[in-house]
Amino acid sequence: MAEVVGIGAAPRRKEDFRFVTGRGNYVADIVRPGMAFGAFLRSVHAHAEIGAVDTAAAAAMPGVRAVFTGADMAADGVGGLPVGWGIVGRDGLPMKEPPHPALAVGKVRYVGDAVAFVVADTLEAARAAAEAIVVDYRPLPAVVDMAAALTPGSPLVFDDVPGNLCCDWELGDAIAVDKAFAKAAHVARLKLVNNRLIGNPMEPRAAIGEYNAGTGQYTLWTTSQFPHVVRLLMGEFVLHIPQHRLRVVAPDVGGGFGVKQFHYAEEAVVTWAAGKLACPVKWVCERSEGFISDAHGRDHVTEAALALDAEGRFLGMKVETLANMGGYLSTFGPNIPTNLYAPLLSGVYTTPAIHCSVKVVFTNTVPVDAYRGAGRPEATFVVERLVDVAAIEMGIDKAEIRRRNMIPAEAYPYQTPVLVEYDSGNPRACLDRVVELADVAGFPARREASAKAGKYRGLGFSTYVEACGLAPSRLAGQLGARGGLYESATVRVHPTGQVTVLIGTHNHGQGHETTFAQIVSDKLGVPFDQVDIVFGDTDKVQFGMGTYGSRSLVVGGAALSKASDKVILKARKIAAHLLEAAEQDVVFENGKASVAGTDRAKTFAEIAGAAYVPHNYPLETLEPGLEEQAYYDPVNFTYPGGAHVAEVEIDPETGVVTLAAYTAVDDVGTVINPMIVEGQIHGGIIQGVGQALFEHGVYDPDSGQLLSGSFMDYCMPRADDLPKMTTTTQSTQCAHTPMGVKGCGECGTIGSPAAVINAVVDALAPLGVKHVDMPASPGRIWHLMRNAGLAQAAE
C-alpha cells in the first residue's frame, strides 16, 4: 500500500500476511545449533514435603545430558522469582513475600509445582527420563478454599506465614462509609464469586536459553509480553546476570491476555541450564502442562453493600474481598486485587464514600495473577451487580438508577473517593446510545415471544470505567512497583525515506504493527508500507515496559508521537537550510516541508537523503542523520468506559443459556484504526462471556487436584456460542495523552460479565432468583430453576 494511511483509516493489518501464510516466527519454531530439549517433572501433590529426589536412573538413560533439581540451583546461588509490584497492608507493614524457587526446594505447594528439569538430546528422551525420576513425597493436608485457608488450624502453605494471610489491605474512608450507611433509606447487599479462570492463549508458553562462552552473553527466547522486564527481574534477582550480558527476545507471540506478562520459572531454568551445559536448551509447554503451570486469573469471593437514599441515589459502598494468590506470589499477583481493583469501585457513579478491604490469601493452587482486565472486570462485576440488586429491591428502572447516579459530562475532571481522578468521559451518552441500539424499548415484546416458545428471556445492563496505561511512574513507585511505567520509541529514518520504529511495547495479536505504522504515516507523510515496526528484542530496542493494561497505544503510541515530532523538528531545520529560509518560516505537513506562502518545498524523502550527506547542511548546528528517540511517562491513567447490554434466552428443560444479542458502546478516546478497535472489543466481549457462562477453574477441596485441567473439563466459548454483536464508539478525548487516545484492549472483558449475569438474573426473576454466580453453566442454571420451582410450590 504505497500511500499515506493515517489516523482514523482502517487498512488491513500489516502483520497478518505472514501469520495466515505460516511465516510467523514463534519460539517453538526456532532451532539453534546443538540445541537440547528440556522437560519438567511436576508435582502430583498439592502439598507435600520433598524427601530424597533420586535422579540416578533418569540421568543414566540414553540421550540424557543432565537432570537438575532445586538443590542444584540453590547450590549455584540462583535466587527466587521476585514480585514485580508489592503491596503494603493496613497495618503499614509490607506483604508477606516468601521465597519462590524456580524448582521446588523442601516442599511442593500446588499440583504442577516444578520439582526437576531434564535436558536431553530429544524431547522424547527428556520426557521419558522425567518419568524415571523418583521423588520421596511426604503428603501434607492441602487447602484450596480461601475461607478455609484463613481458619485457625488450617494447613499452612508457608510455615512462616500465619493463617496463610499474605496481606490485609484497604483503601477508602471507612468512617465516612459507616456514616453513609447510618443514614441510608435502603441497603443492597450481595455475596458473589469472581470465578477462577485459566487463560489458554492459542500459543502455549515456550523458552530457549543459550550461552556464548566466548562473550559471556546469555540469550533467552521467550513467549513474553515484556522482554525488558524479564531481563530485569531474571537478570538482577534470579540468575544475577548483568543486564548488558543478557539478551531477551520475544518474537511473534500467539496471544497473551496477561498469561505471558510474568517472569516464569521456566525462563530462568532453561537459561541457567544452557550456561551449565554450554548448549542451547529448549522447552515448549504442552497444553495440559499449561493448565497447571500458567498463572490463573480472578478467583475472588466478595461481600458488598450499597447504601442509597430514598430516591435511589448512592451514598456509600462497602466491599470486603478474599483474593486467592495460590501457592506462590506471581510477578504482579498481589497488585491485581488491590491497586488495580479497589480504585475502580467508584465505576461511573458519584458515590461519595467507598471503603474496600482485601485479604490476600495463600492456598495450594496454581499462582494467580493478571488476566485480561486484571482487577477492573472484578470491580465492575461487584459494582454492576450491586446496582441491579438495588434497582430491583427499590423498584427503580435499571437504566434510570444508573442514569440518576452517573457522573455528568460537565463534572470532569472528576475526583473519586478511591484514589483516582477521571480526566474525561460522558457515561450518560454511552448509556443513552446503547439503550437505543439494543432496542431496549422493544424488549418486552421479545420476552413475550420467548415465553410463548417456552423460554425465559432477560436483559442486562453494565456500565463501566477502567484505568489504562498504569501511571505515573512516581505513583507506581509509591505503591510498590519495581520499575517505572514509562515507554520508549525510536524513529529511524533511512536515507531513502523509509522508516524503522523501535518500540518497547510488544505485539502479540493486537495489530500494533499496523496502528503504529499509521501514526508514523500520518505524522511524517511516509507511505504506510514503508514503515517497519521492531519490538521484542532487548539488544535492538531501547528499554521499554512491554504490553499489558491496554498501555501500548496510550503510552507507547504517545512515545512514538513524541519521537515523530522530534524528527519533524529536525527535518524542518534541514529543509530550512536546503530552501535557504528561516526555520520559523518552514512548515511541515503532508510529507513536505515548505516555505510558508511560497511553492518552494522539499519532500520528506529528499530531506531524509540530505540528512545523511553532511555537506548539505552546516555541521556546527546539525548532526548528520535523522533518528530521534523519546520517552513518555503519563501523568495519569487513561479512563475508557462504556455501556453494554446483553440479552439472553434460557431453556428451562436443559438450563442452557443462549446469548441472543449483545450491544456495546465504548468510549476509547481517539480511534486510530476502527477495524482494530472493533476486533479488540469483540475479542474482549467473548472472553468476558466465557467467564460469565462457561469457564471455571475448579479444584478438589480435599486433594487439591485441578478438576478442570483440560478442554474436556474447562469449557471455552466457541463461535456458535456468540450472536452477531453490535458495537460502536461514543468517544471523548483523553485530556492528557498526545493523541487523545484511551485504550481499548480490555473494554469488552470488563463490561461483559456483569451485563450477561444481570441478563441471566433478569430472565430468572419470575422464579424468584436474585443472584447467579459465574459461570452460569447449564447444570448450575438447571439446579437454580429446579430449586426455585420447588420453593414456589412449597409456598
Side-chain angles (χ1 to χ4, degrees):
M1 185 179 290
E3 60 184 40
V4 173
V5 178
I7 292 172
R12 291 184 178 180
R13 302 196 331 168
K14 290 169 68 80
E15 52 269 70
D16 284 354
F17 178 78
R18 73 173 185 273
F19 295 148
V20 301
T21 57
R23 300 176 188 179
N25 182 38
Y26 299 93
V27 174
D29 298 324
I30 296 172
V31 178
R32 301 296 300 165
M35 186 170 71
F37 298 84
F40 286 91
L41 174 69
R42 298 185 182 275
S43 173
V44 296
H45 297 281
H47 199 197
E49 293 179 347
I50 300 174
V53 181
D54 186 351
T55 63
M61 293 178 70
V64 173
R65 301 189 187 186
V67 181
F68 298 113
T69 66
D72 297 321
M73 297 190 79
D76 207 38
V78 175
L81 305 183
V83 174
W85 192 328
I87 57 174
V88 175
R90 67 171 77 205
D91 57 4
L93 298 177
M95 66 182 189
K96 301 289 194 305
E97 186 180 353
H100 184 180
L103 293 175
V105 176
K107 282 176 71 173
V108 290
R109 293 180 169 86
Y110 63 92
V111 174
D113 205 354
V115 176
F117 184 61
V118 178
V119 182
D121 294 339
T122 66
L123 179 58
E124 293 74 17
R127 288 176 176 169
E131 293 180 1
I133 298 171
V134 179
V135 182
D136 176 21
Y137 290 112
R138 298 161 190 171
L140 299 168
V143 59
V144 301
D145 178 80
M146 289 181 283
L150 293 171
T151 302
S154 183
L156 295 179
V157 179
F158 294 94
D159 294 339
D160 55 353
V161 180
N164 295 308
L165 183 62
C166 170
C167 190
D168 187 359
W169 183 93
E170 69 173 346
L171 180 68
D173 189 337
I175 295 174
V177 169
D178 288 342
K179 290 179 180 178
F181 274 74
K183 65 180 181 180
H186 182 81
V187 175
R189 301 183 186 277
L190 187 64
K191 182 176 181 178
L192 51 81
V193 173
N194 225 289
N195 43 319
R196 178 180 282 247
L197 301 177
I198 303 172
N200 287 304
M202 185 179 295
E203 175 207 26
R205 291 189 297 117
I208 301 172
E210 185 169 351
Y211 176 65
N212 186 323
T215 63
Q217 176 88 9
Y218 287 85
T219 300
L220 168 68
W221 287 267
T222 181
T223 49
S224 177
Q225 298 176 214
F226 57 3
H228 286 91
V229 179
V230 170
R231 184 182 69 174
L232 170 65
L233 296 178
M234 186 177 79
E236 292 297 315
F237 296 95
V238 185
L239 300 183
H240 313 300
I241 301 171
Q243 289 193 54
H244 70 285
R245 294 192 182 275
L246 176 58
R247 177 189 182 195
V248 178
V249 183
D252 290 328
V253 173
F257 313 121
V259 173
K260 297 174 182 173
Q261 183 182 328
F262 324 118
H263 171 39
Y264 282 100
E266 294 87 355
E267 295 168 324
V269 173
V270 298
T271 306
W272 176 78
K276 301 300 288 184
L277 299 175
C279 71
V281 178
K282 181 178 188 176
W283 167 79
V284 178
C285 188
E286 293 291 309
R287 181 64 67 184
S288 57
E289 185 180 17
F291 271 92
I292 57 172
S293 62
D294 292 355
H296 293 180
R298 314 288 194 250
D299 206 352
H300 292 189
V301 175
T302 296
E303 294 187 23
L306 178 65
L308 304 94
D309 67 15
E311 284 73 44
R313 290 185 172 83
F314 304 163
L315 301 176
M317 182 184 296
K318 185 184 302 182
V319 177
E320 298 177 353
T321 293
L322 302 182
N324 202 336
M325 289 293 98
Y328 298 99
L329 295 181
S330 182
T331 306
F332 298 117
N335 184 55
I336 306 305
T338 51
N339 291 321
L340 296 183
Y341 168 68
L344 276 300
L345 289 170
S346 187
V348 296
Y349 306 116
T350 58
T351 313
I354 299 173
H355 181 261
C356 177
S357 63
V358 181
K359 285 185 169 60
V360 181
V361 186
F362 288 112
T363 64
N364 294 115
T365 62
V366 171
V368 178
D369 210 312
Y371 177 69
R372 194 172 188 171
R376 287 91 82 194
E378 297 94 309
T380 297
F381 189 67
V382 171
V383 173
E384 291 301 296
R385 283 295 298 125
L386 264 182
V387 172
D388 252 34
V389 169
I392 293 166
E393 292 177 352
M394 297 188 72
I396 303 173
D397 177 80
K398 294 168 188 172
E400 173 55 29
I401 196 171
R402 287 173 166 82
R403 192 175 288 111
R404 193 174 296 179
N405 287 281
M406 278 180 170
I407 304 165
E410 61 272 15
Y412 290 88
Y414 183 82
Q415 177 64 54
T416 75
V418 275
L419 189 64
V420 296
E421 180 183 89
Y422 305 152
D423 67 287
S424 60
N426 191 349
R428 290 181 182 176
C430 290
L431 179 60
D432 291 343
R433 181 68 172 140
V434 82
V435 166
E436 175 190 353
L437 290 177
D439 186 22
V440 173
F443 174 71
R446 296 192 294 276
R447 171 176 265 175
E448 184 178 349
S450 293
K452 288 179 180 178
K455 306 288 182 68
Y456 292 94
R457 197 176 189 98
L459 183 145
F461 290 95
S462 174
T463 54
Y464 75 94
V465 67
E466 70 154 317
C468 294
L470 298 187
S473 293
R474 172 188 51 77
L475 177 60
Q478 292 172 358
L479 294 176
R482 283 175 168 154
L485 296 176
Y486 56 82
E487 198 45 77
S488 65
T490 295
V491 176
R492 179 176 297 159
V493 183
H494 302 286
T496 51
Q498 287 90 354
V499 176
T500 297
V501 171
L502 301 103
I503 194 159
T505 59
H506 195 278
N507 178 27
H508 39 273
Q510 298 92 337
H512 296 164
E513 292 177 52
T514 302
T515 304
F516 290 150
Q518 285 182 248
I519 293 171
V520 173
S521 183
D522 187 272
K523 294 188 77 72
L524 301 184
V526 177
F528 176 70
D529 63 357
Q530 294 182 17
V531 182
D532 291 331
I533 311 297
V534 176
F535 55 85
D537 188 334
T538 61
D539 270 13
K540 294 180 180 179
V541 179
Q542 66 288 337
F543 196 94
M545 297 303 295
T547 291
Y548 52 88
S550 300
R551 72 183 299 274
S552 292
L553 183 60
V554 169
V555 189
L560 178 55
S561 178
K562 287 181 63 178
S564 298
D565 287 340
K566 291 168 78 172
V567 167
I568 291 171
L569 182 63
K570 185 172 183 180
R572 287 179 57 232
K573 291 179 180 180
I574 296 171
H577 177 74
L578 296 175
L579 296 168
E580 299 180 338
E583 181 185 338
Q584 60 267 27
D585 293 333
V586 175
V587 294
F588 186 91
E589 57 186 6
N590 300 322
K592 290 183 178 181
S594 58
V595 180
T598 75
D599 60 357
R600 289 187 296 144
K602 291 290 182 180
T603 66
F604 186 72
E606 289 174 322
I607 296 168
Y612 291 90
V613 183
H615 66 261
N616 278 337
Y617 54 85
L619 290 175
E620 63 272 12
T621 57
L622 282 174
E623 294 182 347
L626 191 53
E627 176 177 324
E628 297 292 343
Q629 183 178 114
Y631 287 81
Y632 179 73
D633 191 351
V635 298
N636 191 4
F637 291 92
T638 62
Y639 299 97
H644 291 199
V645 169
E647 207 166 309
V648 302
E649 194 173 62
I650 300 176
D651 184 343
E653 298 296 323
T654 63
V656 170
V657 178
T658 299
L659 186 61
Y662 199 95
T663 308
V665 176
D666 297 284
D667 177 356
V668 299
T670 300
V671 175
I672 304 296
N673 185 313
M675 178 188 69
I676 288 178
V677 169
E678 183 180 22
Q680 288 292 298
I681 298 295
H682 280 202
I685 290 170
I686 292 167
Q687 285 187 274
V689 170
Q691 177 175 14
L693 297 181
F694 304 108
E695 302 180 47
H696 194 189
V698 180
Y699 280 90
D700 180 86
D702 298 319
S703 68
Q705 295 292 327
L706 180 65
L707 302 180
S708 53
S710 76
F711 288 140
M712 293 294 290
D713 305 295
Y714 188 89
C715 185
M716 300 278 282
R718 296 168 300 217
D720 61 355
D721 293 318
L722 281 300
K724 179 176 173 57
M725 292 179 279
T726 301
T727 62
T728 190
T729 56
Q730 180 94 20
S731 292
T732 58
Q733 304 302 298
C734 177
H736 57 81
T737 56
M739 296 176 290
V741 299
K742 294 186 177 183
C744 68
E746 295 162 299
C747 292
T749 316
I750 294 167
S752 55
V756 172
I757 294 301
N758 282 342
V760 170
V761 174
D762 183 56
L764 300 179
L767 298 176
V769 174
K770 296 182 179 179
H771 179 64
V772 177
D773 274 324
M774 299 185 289
S777 60
R780 176 169 286 169
I781 296 300
W782 189 87
H783 281 287
L784 273 172
M785 296 175 74
R786 182 175 181 273
N787 292 337
L790 291 174
Q792 286 186 342
E795 293 174 359

